[in-house]
Amino acid sequence: APQVQEDGSVDYHELNIVVTVEVGDPLMRKHLLEEGQPGMTVTGMSLPAEPGEDKSLKENYGSEISPEDPNLLIAKVAGKPIKGINFVRVEKAFTVREVGVETGNINFAGSVIVLGSVMDGFSVKAKGSIDVFGSVEGSNLEAGGNIWVRGGIVGHGRAKIISQKSIKAKFIDNAMVVANYDLMVAEYLQHCDTRVAGAVYVGILGG
């Protein structure tokens, strides 16, 4: 939910909608089966306790039984935990329709897929890659993997696009761009502060 600040203002950027786990984090614990206690009806008749059902923990994608505790399920990969009855799977990619007031900023231990756009003033941070099918406005993207913005970047002089690997975009305008590998821009790269350790490919116009 939006966070209320000390001065009474509301912060719509930090909604904390994404729960993430790191490798080795505990996911689910099995408690040993205990015998039930007999009960009583409203008329005073005794009700014997029925035996419980003993369920075993099951490994799933991204999770495993702890080698130190057979009753503990831990994360095998970093990502988003999804709980079942007696299992938890961990998704390495987090998919969101759009990044804006409904989601707030996104900070994820795996990769992030944005089906729409990243709205002005919001940020996406991922230890994996970031794939945006729409556009990016005056926003910050920071990834440990590749960044691909299919709809282009209009930075308004505020956007920072930082990748530990490569960056690929349709076009980039008025943004800071930092890539440890290559930068590939299909159309134009203009009015940008660009720092690239690898090669730079610009389709039409660079400046």
Side-chain angles (χ1 to χ4, degrees), residues 10-185:
V10 179
D11 183 3
Y12 287 92
H13 291 78
E14 299 299 335
L15 303 185
N16 300 315
I17 69 165
V18 185
V19 176
T20 63
V21 294
E22 300 288 345
V23 175
D25 281 353
L27 300 174
M28 179 179 284
R29 173 172 291 281
K30 175 187 175 180
H31 296 275
L32 297 179
L33 186 65
E34 298 179 356
E35 291 187 6
Q37 300 297 320
M40 184 178 296
T41 69
V42 293
T43 59
M45 293 181 61
S46 178
L47 283 176
E50 296 183 359
E53 182 182 356
D54 192 14
K55 288 185 176 293
S56 299
L57 291 178
K58 291 187 179 296
E59 296 181 339
N60 205 284
Y61 178 81
S63 67
E64 63 181 354
I65 303 294
S66 170
E68 301 174 354
D69 187 346
N71 293 313
L72 181 64
L73 200 64
I74 62 174
K76 196 175 181 179
V77 299
K80 177 184 177 182
I82 300 176
K83 186 174 79 70
I85 295 176
N86 60 338
F87 69 89
V88 179
R89 75 174 187 269
V90 181
E91 300 284 355
K92 292 197 293 184
F94 176 72
T95 301
V96 63
R97 184 176 61 85
E98 186 176 80
V99 177
V101 293
E102 292 184 358
T103 63
N105 297 331
I106 301 295
N107 192 341
F108 189 58
S111 297
V112 175
I113 300 171
V114 182
L115 301 178
S117 298
V118 181
M119 308 309 292
D120 193 16
F122 291 87
S123 69
V124 178
K125 293 183 179 180
K127 290 187 177 180
S129 61
I130 298 176
D131 195 349
V132 181
F133 282 78
S135 60
V136 171
E137 297 186 26
S139 310
N140 294 337
L141 304 184
E142 186 173 344
N146 298 316
I147 294 177
W148 187 4
V149 182
R150 301 166 191 256
I153 301 167
V154 182
H156 305 300
R158 299 187 299 275
K160 294 181 180 179
I161 314 299
I162 302 173
S163 170
Q164 297 301 316
K165 292 189 176 180
S166 297
I167 297 174
K168 184 177 181 181
K170 183 178 181 181
F171 61 83
I172 307 178
D173 178 63
N174 267 286
M176 173 182 284
V177 182
V178 180
N180 275 357
Y181 285 55
D182 299 338
L183 173 64
M184 294 157 281
V185 183

